[in-house]
Amino acid sequence: MPVPWFLLSLALGRSPMVLSLERLVGPQDTARCSPGLSCHLWDGDVLCLPGSIVSAPGPVLVPTRLQTELVLRCYQETDCDLCVRVAIHLAVHGHWEEPKGEEKFGGAADPELEESRNAFLQAQVVLSFQAYPTARCVLLEVQVPAALVQPGQSVGSVVFDCFEAALGAEVRIWSYTQPRYQKELNLTQHLPDCKGLEVRDSIQSCWALPWLNVSADGDDVHLVLDVSEDQRFGLSLYWNQVQGPTKPWWHRNLTGPQTITLNHTDLFPCLCIQFLFQVWPLEPDSVRTSICPFREDPRAHRNLWRAARLQLLPPRGWRLDAPCSLPAEATLCWQAPGGGPCQSLVPPLPPANVTVNKALELPLLNVHPNLCVQVSSWEKLQLQECLWVDSLGPLKDDMLLVETRDPHNNRSLCALEPSGCTPLLSRASTRAARLGEQLLQDLQSGQCLQLWDDDLRALWACPMDKYVHQRWALVWLACLLFVAVLFLLFLFRKDQVKAATRGRAALLLYSAEDSGFERLVSALASALCQLPLRVAVDLWSRRELSAQGPLAWFHAQRRQTLQEGGVVVLLFSPGAVVLCREWLQDGASTPAPQGPHDAFAASLSCVLPDFLQGRAPGRYVGAYFDGLLHSDAVPALFRSVPVFSLPSQLPGFLGTLQEPGDPSPGLLRERARLVSQALQPALDQLLKAPGDPGDPEDGTRDGT
């Protein structure tokens, strides 16, 4: 039996207040203004284009406050729609230029200045309205005699009638001028429903409202709609976003009682339900009402944070992607190497709610790998990302200095440490206190990087490499050299011990053509594992590959292999050659993966740029198998690195994979013989198979 999760026993409403609304007759929009103002409403809607903020040429009229009121727009006595009336309060922004020189002391008045003060102040005010699924913009022209107003003074208001909206909907309203002299005003409002309105006989959608129950059964969520058998209606699910346009997700035309099943992972706080009722069977006109039942649901909020992604955009940008707006704050922090919490910094990012799905700028002069962005909600850390680790490298052992200035330009410096901010030149027993004088000299000599600055504070990153264990540097160096010599002697005398070490990392990439070719690759990988090599191949990581996806799995393996000084081995086959040619012919487009575990196809978008930009030598090695592919079939782009035929060129292949100078030629030939013995049966079986993977017309077989 389904377990009740929460019930919304309602006619799509929760408002306890009952409102009696004014009625407007007819479909025509109108505008009126307070005494002293004159206004005009443009015919038809206009494009919503706020534009950039510009400087005011003098006194201008700007909107300062928005107010809304609900009214009814009626076409007949019992045929009305809910409508939002908007009042825009206006004030004067900017000043007239004061007279200069002798004119200030009783000289002749400037005729142009007098004329401007006797003219009218005019403004074009835009009202933008959004309520799923409609969006409108209207333009109001307003003017007031300039002689009757003073800068900063409120001059009155303009009232617009009106924007139609659905019962229970969330509406968003913006107002700004054209051109725009300041940040636009905005207002968000949740409209009441039939239960909160004294209009049941006037709004037809209130005559046939369904009862909605929401319940959970395991991982499923059921929306149970109780309506009459012959009631026809449309049901839409959509994401109602405060920032950005509303996103439709699901729509159906239905009749009678219904049960809609959702997975619990589909729930988000901004997931809303809209009902489109056809009140009269023979009339095409419909009425809408909406509800967002998951705003306070804990599962929906957990899903939202799981779906959120924090990205850092070079050089100084960041972006938070999420299906809904997030009640969160973002801050900068300093992540010291060696773990530990990331320490919050000034300047904090804007304390208002984070704007999702929009690139934002970090208030930094320079970037540093230890700088990170944290996103928190209700004082709980949700996301953290450090600045462009791939491009700036690993965390540095730098000391962050915080400079504070007072109004008299006196400054103090402290160093950010795990225990807090330690004043320089103090007697504390911390590293920053011991090196306070040296750090101060580094700052004065320009060796520190300035990260941020304003009138009262600044941040500096000072390198600490030369101070790390300075007192014991020679002793530690001697000890390390002694240990290194002993270790090298031990390795030279005990070669079998070296064979048991981890060895060099090797990542094998191939195109999965059939089971025979996979057995051949598996035989090669198993044989290489018997050498001092650490081999990674997707055949042994299918679970990780399915969970992460081919591209993410390859990117992680490639990055780890190259960071450890390893090598990526490209195993060319007829199918791999075809994929490479398709990629090169199509430019930067990524080839479609050949299967759910085909890491080779997914990796081309990362591998080929290394070859095109000359970064492949020393990091990549190519190989193909005797009898399956001719050497000429390997694309010319990949011949910038060594390409070997296996097993005929195994000694050279193994020599390239081994660490430089190791092993001896005799040992290398013995290892090549063992690998060849492991490869040959699988290769012979593949060559004798009736369904050969090569295509003779492509010239990918030996001798073609």
Side-chain angles (χ1 to χ4, degrees):
M1 291 290 294
V3 179
W5 178 33
F6 68 93
L7 291 179
L8 297 173
S9 303
L10 55 125
L12 298 181
R14 295 175 293 182
S15 174
M17 300 178 60
V18 177
L19 304 176
S20 180
L21 304 182
E22 177 184 344
R23 291 170 174 258
L24 304 178
V25 179
Q28 188 67 33
D29 294 336
T30 60
R32 64 183 187 276
C33 46
S34 55
L37 296 178
S38 60
C39 52
H40 168 69
L41 173 64
W42 277 35
D43 294 334
D45 290 357
V46 297
L47 292 177
C48 303
L49 299 173
S52 302
I53 296 178
V54 299
S55 299
V60 292
L61 289 178
V62 295
T64 58
R65 186 162 56 96
L66 293 175
Q67 283 184 298
T68 60
E69 179 185 356
L70 295 181
V71 296
L72 291 178
R73 169 168 282 169
C74 298
Y75 308 95
Q76 297 178 5
E77 181 67 22
T78 59
D79 184 10
C80 300
D81 290 325
L82 192 62
C83 214
V84 180
R85 170 183 289 165
V86 183
I88 313 164
H89 295 264
L90 301 169
V92 179
H93 173 76
H95 298 79
W96 282 279
E97 291 186 2
E98 293 296 332
K100 298 181 181 178
E102 61 182 14
E103 297 176 5
K104 288 184 65 175
F105 303 97
D110 185 349
E112 293 185 2
L113 180 60
E114 289 297 323
E115 182 180 354
S116 66
R117 292 185 174 180
N118 292 328
F120 286 87
L121 293 184
Q122 296 182 339
Q124 290 188 335
V125 181
V126 177
L127 264 181
S128 175
F129 178 87
Q130 182 178 327
Y132 180 81
T134 60
R136 295 186 59 196
C137 276
V138 298
L139 182 64
L140 299 150
E141 285 189 347
V142 187
Q143 67 177 15
V144 61
L148 301 181
V149 299
Q150 294 294 328
Q153 173 187 348
S154 175
V155 298
S157 61
V158 180
V159 177
F160 171 77
D161 283 327
C162 57
F163 294 115
E164 294 184 15
L167 291 162
E170 180 180 82
V171 301
R172 295 184 289 277
I173 304 170
W174 293 267
S175 180
Y176 51 89
T177 59
Q178 288 185 341
R180 187 159 65 99
Y181 301 116
Q182 63 182 20
K183 185 177 180 181
E184 63 268 19
L185 299 179
N186 66 82
L187 182 148
T188 301
Q189 182 176 2
H190 296 281
L191 301 186
D193 47 68
C194 292
K195 277 194 170 182
L197 296 173
E198 205 174 68
V199 292
R200 294 182 184 275
D201 297 333
S202 301
I203 299 180
Q204 296 177 351
S205 62
C206 294
W207 304 353
L209 290 174
W211 285 68
L212 173 66
N213 291 336
V214 183
S215 62
D217 182 12
D219 289 340
D220 292 331
V221 177
H222 303 295
L223 308 179
V224 183
L225 306 173
D226 185 9
V227 299
S228 60
E229 292 289 342
D230 57 349
Q231 175 65 55
R232 291 187 288 178
F233 62 96
L235 179 67
S236 296
L237 301 178
Y238 63 95
W239 289 301
N240 191 27
Q241 295 183 321
V242 173
Q243 297 130 356
T246 300
K247 293 184 178 180
W249 178 43
W250 184 91
H251 177 80
R252 293 290 187 275
N253 292 320
L254 305 170
T255 302
Q258 299 288 334
T259 298
I260 309 299
T261 300
L262 304 175
N263 191 280
H264 73 93
T265 57
D266 296 328
L267 304 185
F268 292 105
C270 62
L271 181 62
C272 298
I273 306 167
Q274 183 175 85
F275 300 91
L276 181 65
F277 298 100
Q278 186 171 354
V279 180
W280 305 112
L282 300 180
E283 294 185 5
D285 294 337
S286 301
V287 290
R288 302 173 186 269
T289 188
S290 301
I291 187 173
C292 304
F294 307 109
R295 287 195 186 101
E296 308 299 329
D297 181 71
R299 285 202 206 184
H301 283 274
R302 285 196 297 269
N303 291 340
L304 178 58
W305 280 110
R306 291 191 187 108
R309 295 292 180 268
L310 177 61
Q311 302 180 58
L312 297 175
L313 311 171
R316 297 179 184 88
W318 67 288
R319 177 186 175 100
L320 181 63
D321 291 318
C324 310
S325 59
L326 287 166
E329 291 187 355
T331 56
L332 281 173
C333 64
W334 179 265
Q335 181 65 65
C342 195
Q343 296 173 278
S344 297
L345 296 177
V346 290
L349 299 179
N353 285 352
V354 174
T355 302
V356 299
N357 306 324
K358 179 181 179 181
L360 303 172
E361 193 76 12
L362 292 171
L364 297 172
L365 299 176
N366 293 287
V367 295
H368 192 282
N370 293 31
L371 286 174
C372 305
V373 176
Q374 289 182 334
V375 178
S376 305
S377 178
W378 305 106
E379 299 184 354
K380 178 183 179 182
L381 177 63
Q382 300 285 358
L383 299 169
Q384 176 176 315
E385 196 73 23
C386 292
L387 296 188
W388 316 294
V389 174
D390 288 338
S391 58
L392 296 181
L395 300 177
K396 294 183 179 180
D397 188 22
D398 290 357
M399 184 68 69
L400 186 74
L401 301 185
V402 180
E403 178 183 350
T404 305
R405 311 184 189 100
D406 64 17
H408 303 290
N409 205 27
N410 298 318
R411 67 175 188 171
S412 60
L413 289 164
C414 65
L416 192 65
E417 296 186 289
S419 58
C421 206
T422 305
L424 296 186
L425 307 180
S426 70
R427 297 184 178 180
S429 59
T430 65
R431 182 172 67 158
R434 291 193 300 268
L435 300 173
E437 292 185 3
Q438 293 94 320
L439 290 171
L440 189 58
Q441 292 174 1
D442 290 346
L443 180 62
Q444 294 171 346
S445 62
Q447 298 182 40
C448 300
L449 179 68
Q450 188 174 27
L451 305 179
W452 175 75
D453 185 32
D454 70 1
D455 294 337
L456 299 178
R457 290 168 294 187
L459 297 178
W460 304 84
C462 298
M464 296 292 290
D465 298 341
K466 59 184 177 182
Y467 301 121
V468 175
H469 304 299
Q470 185 178 27
R471 185 177 299 177
W472 303 98
L474 294 177
V475 176
W476 277 109
L477 180 60
C479 293
L480 290 174
L481 288 175
F482 180 72
V483 172
V485 170
L486 289 179
F487 184 68
L488 290 174
L489 290 175
F490 180 77
L491 290 182
F492 279 119
R493 292 173 61 98
K494 301 290 183 179
D495 190 74
Q496 64 274 21
V497 174
K498 182 171 61 180
T501 60
R502 297 177 68 212
R504 193 181 188 191
L507 172 61
L508 303 188
L509 290 180
Y510 69 98
S511 177
E513 302 190 8
D514 57 19
S515 58
F517 191 77
E518 287 190 340
R519 284 194 296 271
L520 180 59
V521 173
S522 179
L524 175 62
S526 299
L528 294 178
C529 284
Q530 304 304 315
L531 311 180
L533 289 172
R534 289 178 292 113
V535 179
V537 64
D538 63 352
L539 283 170
W540 301 341
S541 306
R542 286 291 168 81
R543 180 175 298 177
E544 298 177 11
L545 200 66
S546 298
Q548 301 176 14
L551 183 59
W553 179 88
F554 164 75
H555 180 72
Q557 294 294 327
R558 170 183 170 275
R559 179 179 175 186
Q560 179 180 351
T561 299
L562 296 181
Q563 282 183 344
E564 295 176 356
V567 63
V568 179
V569 180
L570 303 177
L571 296 177
F572 290 98
S573 63
V577 169
V578 169
L579 285 174
C580 293
R581 288 174 177 169
E582 290 177 353
W583 197 97
L584 293 171
Q585 290 172 359
D586 294 340
S589 61
T590 305
Q594 303 300 301
H597 308 300
D598 196 347
F600 186 91
S603 66
L604 287 178
S605 59
C606 296
V607 169
L608 291 176
D610 285 345
F611 283 85
L612 293 171
Q613 298 172 16
R615 299 195 303 261
R619 308 167 82 185
Y620 290 84
V621 174
Y624 59 92
F625 294 99
D626 298 338
L628 289 183
L629 196 71
H630 195 274
S631 60
D632 294 339
V634 177
L637 176 65
F638 297 97
R639 297 190 193 129
S640 59
V641 300
V643 180
F644 301 93
S645 179
L646 306 181
S648 59
Q649 296 179 348
L650 266 172
F653 176 69
L654 297 181
T656 303
L657 296 184
Q658 301 294 326
E659 296 289 350
D662 178 49
S664 62
L667 182 59
L668 188 62
R669 287 193 296 272
E670 176 62 20
R671 290 176 177 175
R673 184 184 65 82
L674 295 176
V675 174
S676 179
Q677 288 179 352
L679 271 183
Q680 199 62 50
L683 180 59
D684 292 340
Q685 184 179 2
L686 181 61
L687 292 174
K688 293 177 182 179
D692 192 274
D695 184 357
E697 295 180 3
D698 292 338
T700 55
R701 294 289 307 273
D702 258 350
T704 61

